[in-house]
Amino acid sequence: MKYLLLATAALTSTLAFAAEPQFDMKRVSEDIRVMSADDFQGRAPATVGETKTVAFLIEKMKAAGLEPGGSIGTDGKRGWTQDVPLRMSDIVGKPSLSLSYGGKSHALNQGKEIAVRAALTGQDSVTLKDAPLLFVGYGIKAPERGWDDFKGQDVKGKILVVLINDPDFEGPEGKFGGKAMTYYGRWTYKYEEAARQGAAGVLIVHETAPASYGWATVASSNPNTMFDIVRDDPKAAHTPFESWIQRDVAVDLFKASGLDFEKLRAEARKDSFQPVPLKATLSADYKVKTEVITSKNVMGRITGTKYPDETVAYTAHWDHIGVGEPDANGDNIFNGALDNASGISTLLELGRAFKAAGPAERSVLFLAVTAEEKGLLGSTYYASNPVYPLGKTVGVINMDGTIGPGPAKDFTISGTAKLGLLDMLIEEGKKVGRSYTPDPRVEAGGFFRSDHFPMAKVGVPAISFGGGIDLVNGGVAAGKAWRDAYIKDKYHQPDDEWSPDWNLDGAKLDMGLLYSLGRRLANGRDWPNWSQDSEFRAARDVSAAERK
Ligand SMILES: [Zn+2]
């Protein structure tokens, strides 16, 4: 009897061992320490930081027993990386910019009245002479929502004046699902749609609440070096002139045309809105320095035993800001320990756990993408140049910042979306007594700011996991205090550094959850999809036949 009991106990613990992955948090911490040390120089793409990071990732993936998961080389063999060619553009000197209205020319100063970014079209100069301005409301064309701000107007050669966010931002709920920002509200969408319409350029009217950030953010980021993936037809994605203007400038412009900005702004919230020509023109003249660099996505893989061409992907960005302006202590290396050496170390540890558990029926991809900080470019490049078929990519689980203050009762994802993948994550959470807390700032469009998004855009079910706020020790108050302090003192600052004092118990708990979701997908036959009313559903359904 006694022996039998012992045998049962031993069996139970073996089963528990087989089912539960063993995460080594000391190793996770050490990987973060190495990648965020000063000699990695803040891991900017196409720097010594990239060389070191890519070598480190390949070494760790190899040691974990993963297979090379990158592009097939000239030798016919699959390597560990995918080349990501990036266009890099800068405005040379002070751009000459002006608006003409009311019979006068009004100079615009970069960073003050206007924030214009370097052209990403590949051209080496921008010259606009008295280009007419056209107010197009929110600048949205969304046939599935019965919305078209352009109403068939010819916008060729014109500069579009556009509002930020979408028509439902100020309520009541209309065709854009209420206060939560749809992709139609993002500035990136405004630029893309303007290019599709064939406009000459864009002036987005900056307003703090609907943009969710102040003018200072716009003014400081736009004059920087701009990056994009190298595109076959860059003019299909960008107009030569992409910019924001201060709200006051817009108000004056409208006044000079005998129009009331607030009134037209209200008008733009209705689907009956018609574009309004302004009695004003824009002139611009400046040179653009543009070159192409090559960065790398790094990929390890475990081939599936039964459905090798079906892929479950974990993603995280390896890059960070690099070297920048020194802080008060003279530190100019943006180490990016949390953002995102932590996500990468989690990706590696998940790879080890999957390897230890033995192959699953479907393939599992561990994809470390580049240039997230330059505008989600490594993931954007992968989404348009997939190494594995997107139609058979079951789901993408992205991780960005995986270290928190300790175990939380809840978890979240970036932004809001309705998809089966999130439902499954919530189910896995329930099994271990954890609950889902939706992103509280839905109007900020968090869904569109992480590396899962370029995958979502091409239809692949994708989410970015986020740690919880309701701590086992200290509850929501303690969780919020920790997060606020991180954003204030460390986020995108040289002080985002590794610490030997981190409490990694929360990260470990989250890792277990991410593992169980991925393992369930990899050993199941599920094809989670977007909800029927999701803007990403149509892109997914195009490839439905591949999943039969
Ligand atoms: Zn990040």
Side-chain angles (χ1 to χ4, degrees):
M1 201 61 199
K2 211 177 177 183
Y3 278 111
L4 187 63
L5 266 175
L6 271 174
T8 314
L11 182 66
T12 316
S13 73
T14 314
L15 278 174
F17 183 81
E20 270 174 45
Q22 302 295 304
F23 301 121
D24 181 344
M25 298 313 284
K26 275 212 184 95
R27 184 165 56 189
V28 170
S29 177
E30 175 61 12
D31 286 347
I32 299 174
R33 188 191 66 75
V34 172
M35 282 184 280
S36 63
D38 280 358
D39 65 314
F40 274 59
Q41 295 282 299
R43 303 187 309 279
T47 65
V48 62
E50 161 151 7
T51 312
K52 288 195 176 199
T53 308
V54 170
F56 178 82
L57 286 174
I58 294 173
E59 177 200 318
K60 292 292 164 180
M61 285 183 177
K62 259 186 201 164
L66 303 184
E67 307 148 31
S71 314
I72 295 171
T74 43
D75 58 357
K77 283 187 196 146
R78 202 173 277 290
W80 290 96
T81 59
Q82 173 184 40
D83 279 354
V84 179
L86 298 175
R87 178 169 299 285
M88 225 171 105
S89 296
D90 276 286
I91 292 175
V92 181
K94 187 175 178 277
S96 161
L97 305 159
S98 63
L99 283 169
S100 284
Y101 55 82
K104 267 193 249 165
S105 171
H106 306 256
L108 298 171
N109 295 296
Q110 172 76 313
K112 283 189 85 182
E113 296 89 10
I114 193 167
V116 57
R117 64 177 193 166
L120 289 166
T121 47
Q123 63 200 82
D124 55 14
S125 68
V126 173
T127 313
L128 291 163
K129 187 106 184 60
D130 293 322
L133 266 53
L134 180 69
F135 177 58
V136 291
Y138 286 92
I140 295 171
K141 185 163 186 166
E144 81 287 6
R145 290 173 195 260
W147 196 279
D148 181 1
D149 283 327
F150 299 95
K151 305 285 192 305
Q153 277 247 8
D154 184 10
V155 303
K156 290 217 165 46
K158 293 177 187 162
I159 304 291
L160 306 182
V161 178
V162 184
L163 299 169
I164 193 63
N165 216 311
D166 67 40
D168 281 11
F169 173 71
E170 275 157 289
E173 181 167 341
K175 291 184 170 174
F176 290 84
K179 204 169 170 64
M181 192 197 273
T182 60
Y183 184 57
Y184 299 109
R186 281 288 282 166
W187 58 268
T188 46
Y189 169 79
K190 313 291 180 186
Y191 290 163
E192 288 164 9
E193 192 57 51
R196 276 192 289 270
Q197 298 293 323
V202 185
L203 295 166
I204 299 175
V205 180
H206 176 265
E207 295 180 279
T208 301
S212 86
Y213 36 76
W215 176 256
T217 303
V218 170
S220 67
S221 57
N222 280 279
N224 292 340
T225 305
M226 287 294 130
F227 288 80
D228 191 21
I229 61 168
V230 173
R231 300 174 189 271
D232 295 338
D233 182 10
K235 290 195 167 97
H238 297 283
T239 64
F241 190 83
E242 298 175 325
S243 73
W244 294 70
I245 49 165
Q246 292 259 36
R247 183 182 178 279
D248 289 352
V249 177
V251 170
D252 286 350
L253 258 182
F254 279 65
K255 212 182 273 169
S257 300
L259 300 164
D260 181 72
F261 175 71
E262 279 307 318
K263 217 172 137 191
L264 277 170
R265 198 168 162 282
E267 203 56 42
R269 297 209 293 270
K270 298 179 200 148
D271 57 9
S272 56
F273 170 83
Q274 291 283 341
V276 182
L278 301 176
K279 289 177 190 145
T281 61
L282 178 123
S283 294
D285 192 10
Y286 50 88
K287 294 227 164 335
V288 178
K289 183 178 160 242
T290 185
E291 61 179 308
V292 172
I293 56 162
T294 303
S295 186
K296 284 177 179 1
N297 288 334
V298 186
M299 292 176 241
R301 182 173 184 251
I302 299 172
T303 305
T305 51
K306 238 175 144 177
Y307 309 101
D309 57 340
E310 299 177 5
T311 303
V312 176
Y314 288 99
T315 60
H317 73 90
W318 62 254
D319 70 303
H320 193 59
I321 294 164
V323 178
E325 289 296 309
D327 65 7
N329 304 317
D331 186 359
N332 67 348
I333 299 173
F334 289 64
N335 304 81
L338 238 86
D339 186 10
N340 185 30
S342 70
I344 289 291
S345 68
T346 302
L347 183 87
L348 291 172
E349 191 65 11
L350 285 168
R352 295 173 189 122
F354 267 83
K355 185 67 191 174
E361 297 189 347
R362 285 166 157 166
S363 295
V364 183
L365 180 67
F366 302 89
L367 166 57
V369 294
T370 181
E372 186 268 356
E373 306 286 5
K374 310 292 185 209
L376 315 178
L377 298 180
S379 52
T380 299
Y381 188 81
Y382 184 91
S384 45
N385 301 274
V387 177
Y388 304 97
L390 296 175
K392 289 194 170 193
T393 299
V394 186
V396 169
I397 305 165
N398 184 57
M399 300 163 293
D400 195 348
T402 54
I403 305 293
K409 289 177 237 171
D410 61 343
F411 56 87
T412 190
I413 62 163
S414 303
T416 20
K418 284 189 272 175
L419 69 169
L421 188 60
L422 173 60
D423 299 338
M424 290 172 82
L425 174 69
I426 294 171
E427 283 168 18
E428 291 306 306
K430 270 197 190 128
K431 288 180 193 167
V432 291
R434 299 184 70 195
S435 61
Y436 166 64
T437 301
D439 188 334
R441 292 182 67 231
V442 291
E443 68 281 10
F447 193 78
F448 317 114
R449 297 181 180 189
S450 273
D451 279 318
H452 70 283
F453 176 60
M455 307 287 192
K457 229 172 153 185
V458 292
V460 180
I463 50 173
S464 271
F465 179 84
I469 197 87
D470 188 3
L471 301 186
V472 172
N473 294 314
V476 174
K480 275 201 175 128
W482 186 90
R483 193 189 56 191
D484 292 349
Y486 170 74
I487 290 170
K488 182 171 159 284
D489 302 327
K490 296 188 160 71
Y491 175 70
H492 282 197
Q493 296 170 49
D495 255 357
D496 181 0
E497 295 190 357
W498 175 82
S499 166
D501 305 323
W502 278 337
N503 176 347
L504 300 178
D505 295 345
K508 189 174 181 178
L509 203 61
D510 290 344
M511 222 179 264
L513 186 53
L514 294 170
Y515 177 88
S516 61
L517 174 61
R519 198 76 196 168
R520 176 174 162 190
L521 289 168
N523 271 332
R525 295 306 299 142
D526 289 311
W527 291 107
N529 202 341
W530 301 93
S531 69
Q532 284 295 349
D533 59 349
S534 163
E535 60 256 61
F536 311 115
R537 175 79 187 215
R540 186 58 167 174
D541 287 349
V542 165
S543 62
E546 292 178 45
R547 293 183 292 278
K548 290 260 162 70

